[in-house]
């Protein structure tokens, strides 16, 4: 009664209660801000958002897009000091989204997207437990929004991305899916992503460019359809000159799909100015791309990355590549310097970082001849790599691991140049010799054989090869290879 009386008194004294409902208005200024942010022109985007807040204080969209502004630098740069300053914004923005109407599809969607972005950030700062629950919260929020607003297409984009990835979690990370209680599927997930991309709904058009980012990574790394990925990129004609995020994406996809020349061209041709965010990840990708071409300035970018990057992801791998650069240059002192740094710098969250640490702890240097072949082959410079490789035979290498690598590298080059029968022969030799060894060559050969037989529509042989890859234990890159093999099994079985 006292509370009611106080309210009556306040009203009687002329005070008014603000009953205005906050809105989610993606007006033209917010669209321009979103576009600038997605190009990594973050300051331009922030300026537009601040103008919108002043002119339309009841519009919640600027506060939602503020999260994108924070997300990209935190995700790419991994600066602990910046994270400490910004982490409290998560709850502030979620509370802000609650000021809107629950009858809007953006009410739950904006909350889910914020949770999903902070989950990705927390993974980078090794907060796995919090990240796990954050992903679960995002997923459950999206499922509820999908139930309430089945025609709201942005639901399907984020749900589809999560379903696709969670359908291929390798054994080493099974605890995640057990906790989440979530079983995804490649087909279900990609159906949702494709439905979003093909939709003409206004909300789908709004987030279209963001969807291309999800689609390309899922198609290349999970669905394993590189030809379709590059055909999609060619069809969409993404603006990699003015969109820094797209340039980084295409360069990274090129790095991971033996197209280094394309990745180098994209990064060299992009519009570089102070209006774009400073992303340390750029130097990592550019340095690795140039190293595969054996460029004599590759070390410049790799050194810039390890000197400026404040995070833990990719550091050991980058230091390993720097040690290789100087090793091939004949500068053993510098090679040793960077190898020793691997022992104390960076983390071991990625398989590449784990392998770099293992090599550094082992103390053995790779065969320089095979290392050059590997780098050129990884970059897609197959004719150069094959020409070099065929100047020797397996018998020319005394060590068993070098003989094994010779067979594997030859198989990969034949595979990538469409000489499948020759590739099969070399892969089978690699598996026979290396199935019980710690190197990853036999497991990767099994995976590649699975791809070949899947392409030939030989379901039984494809499944056999993928299972063989999964059954191999204790080798380098175990988690990432298992994820790809599991994805292959799902594709072949049509699940």
């Amino acid at each position: 009664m006292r509370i009611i009386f106080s309210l009556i008194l306040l009203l009687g004294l002329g005070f008014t209660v603000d009953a205005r409902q906050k809105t989610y208005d993606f007006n033209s200024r917010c669209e321009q801000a979103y576009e600038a942010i997605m190009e990594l022109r973050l300051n331009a985007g922030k300026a537009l958002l601040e103008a919108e807040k002043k002119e339309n204080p009841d519009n919640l969209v600027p506060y939602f897009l503020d999260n994108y502004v924070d997300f990209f630098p935190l995700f790419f740069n991994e600066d602990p000091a910046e994270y400490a300053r910004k982490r409290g914004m998560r709850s502030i923005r979620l509370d802000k989204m609650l000021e809107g109407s629950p009858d809007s599809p953006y009410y739950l969607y904006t909350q889910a997207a914020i949770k999903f972005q902070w989950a990705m950030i927390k993974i980078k700062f090794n907060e796995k437990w919090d990240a796990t629950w954050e992903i679960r919260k995002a997923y459950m929020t999206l499922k509820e929004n999908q139930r309430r607003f089945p025609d709201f297409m942005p639901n399907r984009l984020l749900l589809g991305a999560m379903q696709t990835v969670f359908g291929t979690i390798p054994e080493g990370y099974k605890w995640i899916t057990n906790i989440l209680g979530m079983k995804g599927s490649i087909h279900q997930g990609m159906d949702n992503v494709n439905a979003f991309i093909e939709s003409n709904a206004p909300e789908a058009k709004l987030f279209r460019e963001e969807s291309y980012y999800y689609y390309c990574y899922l198609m290349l790394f999970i669905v394993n359809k590189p030809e379709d990925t590059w055909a999609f990129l060619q069809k969409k004609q993404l603006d990699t000159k003015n969109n820094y995020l797209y340039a980084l994406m295409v360069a990274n996809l090129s790095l991971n799909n033996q197209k280094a020349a394309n990745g180098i061209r994209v990064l060299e041709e992009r519009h570089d100015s102070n209006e774009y965010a400073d992303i340390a990840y750029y130097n990592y990708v550019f340095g690795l791309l140039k190293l595969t071409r054996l460029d004599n300035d590759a070390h410049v970018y790799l050194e810039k990355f390890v000197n400026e990057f404040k995070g833990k992801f990719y550091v050991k791998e980058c230091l390993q590549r720097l040690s290789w650069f100087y090793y091939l240059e004949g500068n053993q002192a510098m090679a040793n310097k960077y190898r020793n740094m691997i022992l104390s710098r960076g983390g071991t969250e990625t398989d590449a970082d784990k392998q770099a640490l293992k090599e550094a702890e082992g103390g053995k240097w790779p065969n320089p001849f095979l290392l050059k072949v590997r780098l050129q082959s990884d970059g897609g410079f197959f004719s150069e790599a094959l020409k070099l490789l065929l100047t020797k035979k397996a018998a020319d290498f005394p060590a068993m691991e070098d003989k094994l690598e010779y067979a594997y590298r030859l198989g990969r080059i034949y595979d990538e140049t469409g000489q499948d029968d020759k590739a099969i022969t070399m892969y089978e030799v690699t598996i026979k010799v290396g199935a019980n060894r710690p190197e990853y060559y036999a497991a990767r050969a099994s995976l590649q054989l699975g791809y070949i037989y899947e392409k030939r529509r030989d379901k039984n042989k494809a499944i056999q090869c993928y299972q063989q890859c999964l059954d191999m234990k204790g080798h380098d890159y175990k988690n990432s290879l298992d994820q790809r093999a599991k994805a292959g099994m799902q594709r072949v079985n049509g699940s």
Side-chain angles (χ1 to χ4, degrees):
M1 288 296 294
R2 185 175 297 175
I3 294 173
I4 295 173
F5 177 77
S6 298
L7 287 172
I8 293 172
L9 180 61
L10 285 171
L11 290 171
L13 291 172
F15 289 92
T16 58
V17 177
D18 186 359
R20 289 180 301 176
Q21 185 74 67
K22 301 287 181 74
T23 61
Y24 306 92
D25 182 13
F26 259 104
N27 56 38
S28 60
R29 180 155 51 196
C30 289
E31 287 187 31
Q32 291 172 27
Y34 173 73
E35 181 180 344
I37 294 165
M38 292 303 296
E39 292 176 354
L40 296 183
R41 294 187 296 112
L42 302 185
N43 288 333
K46 283 194 289 187
L48 288 165
L49 295 180
E50 291 306 312
E52 178 65 17
K53 289 176 188 176
K54 289 179 181 178
E55 189 170 322
N56 298 304
D58 292 331
N59 187 4
L60 295 174
V61 169
Y63 300 93
F64 170 57
L65 294 180
D66 275 340
N67 211 69
Y68 283 77
V69 175
D70 287 345
F71 170 77
F72 288 116
L74 287 171
F75 183 79
F76 283 122
N77 292 338
E78 301 176 38
D79 185 343
E82 187 72 7
Y83 181 52
R85 287 193 296 270
K86 293 290 181 66
R87 63 183 304 166
M89 297 307 300
R90 172 199 170 275
S91 58
I92 291 173
R93 290 184 186 129
L94 285 174
D95 288 344
K96 197 73 177 174
M97 295 305 104
L98 292 175
E99 296 177 12
S101 170
D103 294 330
S104 168
Y106 282 107
Y107 179 79
L108 289 177
Y109 178 78
T110 54
Q111 295 176 56
I114 290 170
K115 291 170 186 174
F116 181 73
Q117 289 174 5
W118 279 99
M120 297 302 101
I121 292 168
K122 288 178 179 182
I123 288 171
K124 287 299 191 80
F125 289 93
N126 202 29
E127 297 181 8
K128 295 179 186 175
W129 186 257
D130 285 349
T132 299
W133 285 106
E134 199 79 270
I135 291 172
R136 184 180 188 277
K137 291 173 187 174
Y139 180 79
M140 300 306 292
T141 304
L142 284 169
K143 290 288 283 185
E144 173 61 17
N145 207 37
Q146 181 78 345
R147 184 189 69 78
R148 295 183 59 196
F149 302 98
D151 296 327
F152 186 65
M153 295 307 297
N155 290 330
R156 300 188 70 174
L157 176 61
L158 281 186
L159 275 175
M162 284 191 264
Q163 289 164 340
T164 303
V165 173
F166 279 96
T168 61
I169 293 294
E171 291 301 318
Y173 291 95
K174 270 293 186 183
W175 61 274
I176 296 178
T177 51
N178 292 336
I179 291 172
L180 293 177
M182 211 167 63
K183 291 185 179 180
S185 134
I186 291 176
H187 289 285
Q188 180 187 16
M190 289 310 297
D191 280 350
N192 275 323
V193 174
N194 282 314
F196 177 92
I197 288 175
E198 294 167 7
S199 172
N200 288 318
E203 298 86 359
K205 292 179 180 178
L206 178 63
F207 293 104
R208 186 81 78 208
E209 293 191 352
E210 185 175 345
S211 72
Y212 296 162
Y213 196 83
Y214 288 111
Y215 178 87
C216 290
Y217 274 104
L218 293 170
M219 283 297 288
L220 185 62
F221 293 108
I222 304 297
V223 184
N224 189 48
K225 289 189 176 179
E227 297 86 0
D228 290 0
T229 307
W230 294 107
F232 179 86
L233 288 170
Q234 186 66 30
K235 178 182 177 182
K236 298 301 180 183
Q237 290 290 298
L238 302 186
D239 183 6
T240 56
K241 291 187 178 181
N242 297 302
N243 188 318
Y244 192 9
L245 184 63
Y246 278 165
L248 287 172
M249 177 187 76
V250 173
N252 189 36
L253 293 174
S254 299
L255 177 64
N256 286 278
N257 194 225
Q258 293 85 41
K259 295 184 183 295
N262 180 68
I264 291 169
R265 178 187 58 78
V266 165
L267 292 183
E268 286 179 339
E269 292 180 356
R270 81 174 185 90
H271 181 213
D272 185 13
S273 75
N274 292 333
E275 67 176 320
Y276 294 96
D278 187 12
I279 304 295
Y281 181 73
Y282 159 85
N283 292 302
Y284 161 80
V285 175
F286 201 23
L288 292 189
L289 287 166
K290 290 177 77 66
L291 185 60
T292 67
R293 201 169 62 180
L294 305 180
D295 288 2
N296 59 14
D297 65 342
H299 68 295
V300 173
Y301 301 93
L302 298 175
E303 286 173 345
K304 189 173 175 62
F305 176 76
V306 297
N307 289 333
E308 296 180 359
F309 186 62
K310 296 179 173 63
K312 293 186 178 296
F313 277 67
Y314 324 117
V315 174
K316 291 186 187 297
E317 179 191 13
C318 191
L319 290 167
Q320 179 193 51
R321 296 310 197 267
L322 268 171
S323 72
W324 287 356
F325 174 86
Y326 284 109
Y327 174 62
L328 293 176
E329 290 278 302
N331 189 338
Q332 196 61 46
M334 289 295 286
N336 290 336
K337 170 190 170 182
Y338 284 111
R339 170 171 277 192
N340 290 334
M341 288 172 67
I342 295 171
L343 302 175
S344 58
R345 291 279 307 274
T348 53
E349 298 306 311
T350 71
D351 277 352
D353 285 333
K354 289 176 185 174
Q355 195 277 330
L357 179 60
K358 181 178 178 180
E359 181 184 272
E361 290 176 336
K364 186 175 181 181
W365 288 94
N367 181 289
F369 176 88
L370 292 172
L371 181 57
K372 284 186 178 180
V373 171
R374 171 187 177 170
L375 291 170
Q376 290 180 321
S377 178
D378 285 350
F381 304 105
F382 300 121
S383 59
E384 295 92 332
L386 183 59
K387 183 178 179 180
L388 182 60
L389 197 58
L390 291 179
T391 62
K392 292 184 179 292
K393 298 186 288 293
D396 295 331
F397 301 94
M400 180 55 71
E401 60 264 32
D402 292 341
K403 295 179 188 290
L404 182 63
E405 183 175 2
Y406 177 90
Y408 168 74
R409 298 288 170 211
L410 196 52
R412 280 302 302 273
I413 293 171
Y414 285 141
D415 189 353
E416 298 295 342
T417 54
Q419 303 178 70
D420 287 358
D421 290 335
K422 289 183 178 180
I424 289 171
T425 299
M426 300 314 299
Y427 284 151
E428 288 176 343
V429 169
T430 303
I431 294 165
K432 183 177 180 181
V433 175
N436 296 311
R437 292 183 59 87
E439 298 88 6
Y440 67 92
Y441 308 127
R444 186 60 191 259
S446 296
L447 180 70
Q448 295 300 132
L449 275 177
Y451 291 158
I452 292 174
Y453 287 122
E454 183 181 350
K455 184 172 61 178
R456 292 182 171 186
R457 302 187 185 280
D458 191 331
K459 178 178 177 179
N460 291 333
K461 281 191 175 181
I463 291 175
Q464 180 183 346
C465 292
Y466 289 138
Q467 188 61 54
Q468 188 176 41
C469 177
L470 290 167
D471 290 340
M472 293 186 196
K473 308 296 182 185
H475 58 79
D476 298 332
Y477 303 104
K478 172 69 175 169
N479 285 321
S480 56
L481 292 179
D482 279 6
Q483 185 178 37
R484 294 188 182 195
K486 187 172 181 182
M489 297 274 276
Q490 282 206 17
R491 284 194 306 273
V492 173
N493 286 319
S495 58

